Amino acid sequence: MIHLDTSDEQTTLEKDIGMFVQQNKAYYAEQWQNLDNGKLAFNVIAFFLPIFWLGYRRMYRHIGMIALMYLVIDIGLFIFISESSSLNLLDSFYTLGIGIFYGFFANKLYKKHVQRRVNKIRTVASDEQETEKMLQQQGGGSGYGVLGAIVMIFLIYTIPTIIITYIV
């Protein structure tokens, strides 16, 4: 999937990665091969819906960073500029920038995420059966991850923004 190698260790790693990715593993194998060959790999879903894509792929750290950046931008603008039109314009540029960034780098970031998670699972699991179980449980897409992404945005960004805007 990532590197074609005839060694048993590499074959097992590729199998584990495929088991972790689950949905669209052929798509990601092709995209990651393109990345390894220096080709550009654009993810359309991550461009248009980065928060939902990240949630679906369980990449919560990125969601938290995005939400915190929105909050920092809004707090900064609230302190220095009281015009809501400026706030909306900057938020729009930030949103476009996030879409462009994840459109171009989502596949690379997901590859690193998968490699890190698979290696951690392989280290923690006591045998092959436990490894497979953990890969299937912790990998793949998650509808609950999308819901988690919405909750994270609400808790990290929306509630503090409402408090700052209307209460402070």
Side-chain angles (χ1 to χ4, degrees), residues 10-82:
Q10 188 63 35
T11 304
T12 303
L13 177 61
E14 289 177 3
K15 182 183 113 232
D16 288 352
I17 288 172
M19 197 175 299
F20 184 88
V21 172
Q22 297 174 22
Q23 298 90 347
N24 298 326
K25 60 184 165 188
Y27 166 81
Y28 285 107
E30 180 182 341
Q31 295 302 313
W32 295 342
Q33 189 67 43
N34 287 341
L35 285 170
D36 290 343
N37 293 332
K39 294 180 184 174
L40 190 62
F42 189 80
N43 189 312
V44 176
I45 301 299
F47 171 75
F48 284 109
L49 302 167
I51 299 294
F52 299 116
W53 181 85
L54 289 165
Y56 184 74
R57 288 295 170 187
R58 304 173 195 222
M59 297 173 68
Y60 304 115
R61 184 179 307 145
H62 290 270
I63 298 166
M65 290 186 311
I66 291 169
L68 284 173
M69 282 304 299
Y70 270 117
L71 185 61
V72 166
I73 289 169
D74 284 0
I75 289 172
L77 288 175
F78 182 76
I79 291 170
F80 298 110
I81 302 171
S82 61

Side-chain angles (χ1 to χ4, degrees), residues 69-129:
M69 282 304 299
Y70 270 117
L71 185 61
V72 166
I73 289 169
D74 284 0
I75 289 172
L77 288 175
F78 182 76
I79 291 170
F80 298 110
I81 302 171
S82 61
E83 286 182 42
S84 64
S85 62
S86 297
L87 179 67
N88 292 337
L89 183 63
L90 190 58
D91 278 348
S92 295
F93 280 126
Y94 179 63
T95 301
L96 179 62
I98 291 297
I100 291 169
F101 176 81
Y102 281 100
F104 283 106
F105 294 104
N107 293 330
K108 184 174 187 169
L109 292 169
Y110 185 52
K111 178 183 178 183
K112 287 182 180 182
H113 171 76
V114 169
Q115 289 172 325
R116 187 173 49 251
R117 299 287 298 160
V118 168
N119 286 332
K120 183 176 182 178
I121 289 169
R122 294 174 94 200
T123 304
V124 172
S126 59
D127 60 19
E128 191 172 327
Q129 210 172 26

